[in-house]
Amino acid sequence: MSKKIKGFSKLTKEEKINWIVENYFNNNLNVVDIIKQYWNSDAQLQQLHDDFIENTISNFYLPMGVAPNFLINDKDYVVPMVTEESSVVAAASLVAKFWSTKGGFKTTVLGTTKIGQVHFMFAGNKEDLISYFNKNKTELYAATASITKNMEKRGGGILDIQLIDKTDQLENYYQLHITFETKDSMGANFINSCLEAIAAKFRNDEIEIVMSILSNYVPECLVRAEVSCKIEDLGVENPQKFAEKFYQAVKIAEVEPYRAVTHNKGIMNGVDAVVIATGNDFRAVEAGVHAYAAKDGKYTSLSHCTIDNGIFRFWIDLPLALGTVGGLTALHPLAKLSLEMLQKPSAKELMQIIATAGLAQNFAALRALTTKGIQHGHMKMHLQNILNQLGANAEEKEIIANHFEGKTVSHAAVVSKFEEIKKKSINWVDFKNESSLRGLLNSLEIETPAIFGKMNGQQMVEHLALLLKVSNGKIDADFFVEEEKSSRRKAFLDTDNELQVGFKASMLSEEPVPAKFSTLKDSIEDLILQIESFETHFKTNATENHPFFGELDYQYWCKFHVKHFTHHFKQFNLV
C-alpha cells in the first residue's frame, strides 16, 4: 500500500496529523496525544510558531537555562542558553563565576565584514571581461541603491566589489566577490537581494550567471575572547602542573584533527546554545566556524593557550555573523526575551558574548579532562537522565545516586539497581483480596485529587471495572495484536516494572468516561462484582484478548490487573 500523498501542504494541521498517525503509527491515538500536548494553549502564539516553517504539526521543545556571573569587559551578564545536552549550562556557570574573580573575560571585535558572491561562467577573453567589469562597476553599486539606502543610513552597505578569476580551479568560472557591512542585522536577505540586483545588471550575452548567494564563511567577521591570570591563581592543588597539562591539551587539539573536532564541538556546545536562544542561525554559525578551523589547509583547534612568564592566557578567535534585529530575533518571544536579558546588545556585543560562552565551555571541558576526567560531572547528569526515564521518585533517585558515588555509571547498571529497589519498595495491590481492597478504597472520595491524569476517584474505580469486564469477556476488545508484538509486550508483564504514567490502551477515549453509577459506593460494589466474575470466568475460558497485550490467559491477566490496580491506586495516593 503506497504511503505517498498529493497536496499534503494544503491539509489542515489536524488532517496532516491524522494522515501521519493512520499511515505510520497504525492509528495509535497516543501519538496524537503526544503531538498535541506540546501545542501552546494560546492559539495566537501557536499560530506564530506554526508560521515559522511549513507543514507544522507541533512544537519541539528544548530546555532553556541561564548561566549567571559572566563578567565581560567589566560588564555583568546572565547568559541564556538553549540546549538538550546536560552539563553545558552548569559548566558555563561555574567557569563564569571562576573568572569573575580574576578580571573576567576580555573581548575584541576584530572585524564585521560579510561576504556575498555572484558565480558566473565566461568563455571569452579575460581582458575583455576585466574591461567590462571596470567600466560597469559603478553601475553595479547603483543597481542596489534602493536596497542599500536604509542600511547605509545605519553605517552599513556594500564595501567593495571584486572580480575573481577561478578558471585555474574550474574551467570558465569567475565570480564577483562582494563585501558587506550589515550592522546589527545578520543580513542574509539584504545581501542576497543586493547580489541578485548586481547579477541582473552584470549579465550579458557572454556571461552566464550560475547563482547569486551569500557565504556563511565569514573569516573577516571575527571576534576574540580571552582570559588570563597568574598561574598561581588558577585555584587548583598544583597550578603549575595543571597549567602545563592544560597547555598540552590545547596543543594536541592544534595538531591532531581527530582531537580538534571533539575539542571544537565542546566550544560549539556553548556557542550554539546562545545562538539558538537569541534566534540566530546556528547552522550558518557552525558551518562558518568549522570552515575557519580549516582555513590553513588542516582542521585545528579554535582556541589557543600560552603559559609564558608565569601567566596563563587562554583565548579564542571565532567568525560569527549574527543579528539582533530582524529575522527570528524579532518574531520569537523567547528570542526577544533573551536579547532583553542580555541588555539589548548590538550585533558586535552579541558576538563578544557568544564567543565568551564558547571559551567558557572549552575551559570547563579541558579543566575536567586534565584533572578528574570529563565523565565525572557528565555522568552525574547522565545518571539523572536515566532515572528520569525510569520514572524514579525523589527517594529512589537519592538511594541510587549514593550507590553510584565513585562507581562507573552505565544504563544497564542503573536499571538493575532501580529494579532491585522497586522489588523491595513497590506495594503491589492484591486485587483479589476483597478485605484488603475495600480497606484501601475506604479513604477514596470522588473529589480526592489525582496525582496525575484527568479522572476523578469514581471514574478511576469504574475504569478498573471496565478492564475487568474485558478480561471477563463481557466487553469484546476487538483489537488485533500481532503475535510478535504480543509476545514482546507480554514480557513486560513478567517483570517487576510498573505501568508508566501516560500508558493507555488505544480502545479507550481521550477524555474520562462519565461515571455510570450514581454513587462511588455503587461503583466500588460493581468493581468487587467484576473481580468475582473474573475468577468464575476463567474456570471455563482459556484466554481473553487485551487491546494492547493481545491474547492473555488467567495468569497473565492477573499480572496485568495487579499492575493496573497498583498504577491507579498510586494515582490517588491509596498505596
Side-chain angles (χ1 to χ4, degrees):
M1 180 179 175
S2 174
K3 294 184 179 181
K4 292 184 174 62
I5 182 173
K6 290 183 179 179
F8 183 75
S9 63
K10 294 181 176 62
L11 300 179
T12 66
K13 186 160 67 170
E14 289 274 5
E15 288 170 339
K16 290 184 180 81
I17 292 169
N18 291 339
W19 182 85
I20 291 167
V21 171
E22 178 183 351
N23 284 276
Y24 290 92
F25 293 98
N26 297 320
N27 281 321
N28 184 348
L29 295 180
N30 286 338
V31 175
V32 179
D33 286 345
I34 293 170
I35 290 171
K36 288 187 175 182
Q37 74 184 20
Y38 285 95
W39 287 6
N40 198 293
S41 58
D42 183 326
Q44 188 174 358
L45 185 58
Q46 181 57 55
Q47 187 61 53
L48 174 69
H49 284 73
D50 286 348
D51 291 341
F52 286 160
I53 61 169
E54 306 77 33
N55 292 341
T56 52
I57 60 171
S58 192
N59 308 309
F60 189 97
Y61 291 172
L62 289 175
M64 180 178 180
V66 294
N69 299 316
F70 271 92
L71 181 63
I72 306 172
N73 294 342
D74 300 319
K75 183 176 179 179
D76 291 314
Y77 292 90
V78 58
V79 177
M81 306 181 82
V82 173
T83 181
E84 87 297 344
E85 183 164 340
S86 57
S87 304
V88 169
V89 178
S93 302
L94 287 171
V95 171
K97 185 176 182 180
F98 174 81
W99 283 107
S100 69
T101 63
K102 297 168 177 60
F105 296 84
K106 304 301 179 185
T107 59
T108 308
V109 174
L110 305 176
T112 56
T113 301
K114 297 166 187 174
I115 304 297
Q117 295 168 322
V118 176
H119 305 271
F120 66 94
M121 312 304 285
F122 177 76
N125 186 287
K126 179 179 177 181
E127 295 304 318
D128 292 341
L129 179 63
I130 294 172
S131 176
Y132 176 76
F133 170 73
N134 289 332
K135 181 180 177 180
N136 288 279
K137 188 172 182 179
T138 301
E139 295 301 316
L140 299 182
Y141 282 101
T144 66
S146 62
I147 304 170
T148 60
K149 181 180 177 181
N150 290 332
M151 184 66 75
E152 287 171 352
K153 287 179 181 179
R154 301 200 300 270
I158 297 174
L159 302 179
D160 191 20
I161 305 176
Q162 296 177 337
L163 174 65
I164 305 294
D165 181 355
K166 291 280 186 176
T167 56
D168 62 329
Q169 299 176 48
L170 179 64
E171 187 178 5
N172 300 332
Y173 169 42
Y174 294 85
Q175 62 182 228
L176 297 181
H177 187 86
I178 305 163
T179 52
F180 295 84
E181 170 58 62
T182 62
K183 305 307 287 183
D184 287 336
S185 170
M186 190 274 173
N189 290 330
F190 167 75
I191 292 173
N192 287 334
S193 295
C194 288
L195 294 173
E196 289 179 1
I198 290 170
K201 187 67 178 178
F202 189 65
R203 68 162 43 94
N204 62 27
D205 292 341
E206 295 184 85
I207 293 172
E208 179 190 356
I209 303 296
V210 178
M211 57 185 169
S212 307
I213 186 71
L214 89 163
S215 173
N216 292 127
Y217 182 42
V218 285
E220 295 176 4
C221 189
L222 201 63
V223 60
R224 174 172 293 172
E226 63 180 286
V227 288
S228 63
C229 69
K230 293 180 179 178
I231 290 175
E232 63 195 52
D233 294 335
L234 282 169
V236 291
E237 187 174 335
N238 188 337
Q240 184 63 40
K241 181 64 175 176
F242 167 75
E244 290 172 359
K245 285 187 70 176
F246 192 102
Y247 170 80
Q248 289 164 349
V250 175
K251 285 298 177 184
I252 289 170
E254 288 179 350
V255 303
E256 171 50 66
Y258 282 92
R259 171 59 197 143
V261 170
T262 308
H263 178 94
N264 291 343
K265 184 269 181 185
I267 292 170
M268 301 312 291
N269 280 344
V271 170
D272 285 346
V274 191
V275 171
I276 295 170
T278 56
N280 276 274
D281 187 345
F282 76 94
R283 299 160 305 278
V285 168
E286 281 272 354
V289 164
H290 293 299
Y292 185 78
K295 68 183 187 302
D296 296 323
K298 181 181 179 181
Y299 191 89
T300 187
S301 169
L302 291 161
S303 61
H304 309 281
C305 178
T306 59
I307 48 173
D308 299 330
N309 302 316
I311 301 296
F312 173 89
R313 179 172 175 251
F314 183 49
W315 75 97
I316 192 170
D317 290 345
L318 286 180
L320 295 172
L322 305 167
T324 56
V325 297
L328 201 63
T329 60
L331 288 174
H332 199 298
L334 284 177
K336 290 192 285 188
L337 194 69
S338 293
L339 290 170
E340 190 171 344
M341 190 186 304
L342 291 170
Q343 303 162 71
K344 299 180 179 179
S346 65
K348 281 187 177 181
E349 290 172 315
L350 187 58
M351 288 172 69
Q352 295 170 82
I353 293 165
I354 289 178
T356 297
L359 187 68
Q361 203 65 38
N362 197 209
F363 181 86
L366 291 175
R367 182 171 64 177
L369 280 167
T370 55
T371 53
K372 53 192 175 184
I374 197 71
Q375 291 298 84
H376 180 79
H378 182 73
M379 292 312 290
K380 283 187 177 181
M381 293 298 295
H382 181 53
L383 174 60
Q384 291 304 310
N385 288 339
I386 295 172
L387 293 175
N388 287 334
Q389 291 170 12
L390 294 172
N393 59 37
E395 181 182 359
E396 291 162 349
K397 287 180 179 179
E398 184 178 358
I399 293 170
I400 294 173
N402 290 335
H403 171 77
F404 281 98
E405 189 67 38
K407 295 186 177 73
T408 300
V409 175
S410 71
H411 189 275
V414 174
V415 170
S416 177
K417 185 63 179 177
F418 178 71
E419 291 179 347
E420 177 188 325
I421 292 172
K422 295 301 282 185
K423 286 180 181 178
K424 297 177 181 177
S425 62
I426 297 175
N427 187 15
W428 296 107
V429 174
D430 183 358
F431 76 101
K432 293 187 289 184
N433 186 325
E434 181 180 343
S435 176
S436 172
L437 198 66
R438 288 184 182 276
L440 293 173
L441 289 170
N442 190 48
S443 62
L444 181 67
E445 298 179 2
I446 295 177
E447 298 81 12
T448 300
I451 298 173
F452 58 86
K454 300 178 182 179
M455 291 188 290
N456 63 33
Q458 184 172 356
Q459 289 168 334
M460 181 273 287
V461 170
E462 294 191 11
H463 169 72
L464 293 174
L466 174 70
L467 268 296
L468 277 161
K469 289 176 183 177
V470 172
S471 64
N472 296 347
K474 295 180 179 179
I475 294 178
D476 185 14
D478 189 20
F479 286 78
F480 175 71
V481 182
E482 296 174 7
E483 186 175 345
E484 184 271 331
K485 284 185 179 180
S486 176
S487 178
R488 188 172 67 247
R489 292 172 179 178
K490 280 168 61 177
F492 165 78
L493 298 177
D494 289 320
T495 72
D496 289 313
N497 297 332
E498 297 180 79
L499 292 174
Q500 294 298 304
V501 173
F503 173 83
K504 182 176 71 65
S506 57
M507 67 175 284
L508 302 177
S509 62
E510 297 300 306
E511 297 297 322
V513 177
K516 173 184 174 182
F517 293 93
S518 57
T519 67
L520 174 59
K521 181 180 179 182
D522 289 339
S523 297
I524 292 173
E525 292 305 320
D526 179 66
L527 178 66
I528 300 300
L529 181 65
Q530 300 309 324
I531 294 171
E532 293 172 355
S533 178
F534 171 75
E535 291 293 300
T536 304
H537 179 74
F538 274 98
K539 289 179 180 178
T540 56
N541 292 270
T543 64
E544 288 292 346
N545 188 56
H546 187 286
F548 180 79
F549 293 101
E551 288 290 327
L552 300 181
D553 61 16
Y554 173 76
Q555 294 298 332
Y556 273 108
W557 268 112
C558 285
K559 291 177 181 180
F560 167 76
H561 285 311
V562 167
K563 290 180 185 291
H564 197 222
F565 271 72
T566 303
H567 175 75
H568 285 293
F569 275 37
K570 281 192 171 185
Q571 181 183 12
F572 289 87
N573 207 26
L574 301 180
V575 291

